[in-house]
Amino acid sequence: LVSPRDTTPISVVQEYVEAFNAKELDAMMRAVATDVVWMSVAGDSPTDVGRGVDVFRQMIAGYFRAVPSARSTLIKIDATGPWVTTHE
């Protein structure tokens, strides 16, 4: 019997990071909304880098090709309602 997926905000972020570290694009895309907006922050200026799961998937696939050793470690993770902040 398969247990239900934990969809609490922190669990989803942890699931995403685990999939990222395993380079499992399908699992990563299951952890993001279909209308995902990827932002980059330089200084105090956020920039919209891409919108939608298909664009996001292409961006991440390209990133993995460019940086095959990419890994993430969550040092701290907090949630307030649906908003999750992490320190990697």
Side-chain angles (χ1 to χ4, degrees):
L1 189 60
V2 176
S3 61
R5 179 175 171 239
D6 185 348
T7 58
T8 57
I10 287 178
S11 292
V12 172
V13 170
Q14 290 170 323
E15 175 185 324
Y16 174 86
V17 170
E18 288 172 12
F20 176 90
N21 288 336
K23 311 294 186 282
E24 293 178 1
L25 286 172
D26 290 340
M28 289 175 67
M29 296 309 112
R30 282 191 297 274
V32 299
T34 57
D35 60 350
V36 63
V37 178
W38 192 254
M39 305 290 289
S40 176
V41 179
D44 61 355
S45 301
T47 303
D48 183 336
V49 195
R51 292 176 174 263
V53 73
D54 293 331
V55 170
F56 182 63
R57 182 186 185 96
Q58 291 173 1
M59 290 171 33
I60 293 297
Y63 179 71
F64 285 158
R65 284 190 297 277
V67 187
S69 62
R71 288 199 51 80
S72 178
T73 301
L74 294 174
I75 296 168
K76 184 177 180 185
I77 185 166
D78 292 301
T80 302
W83 300 101
V84 178
T85 57
T86 66
H87 178 187
E88 294 181 65

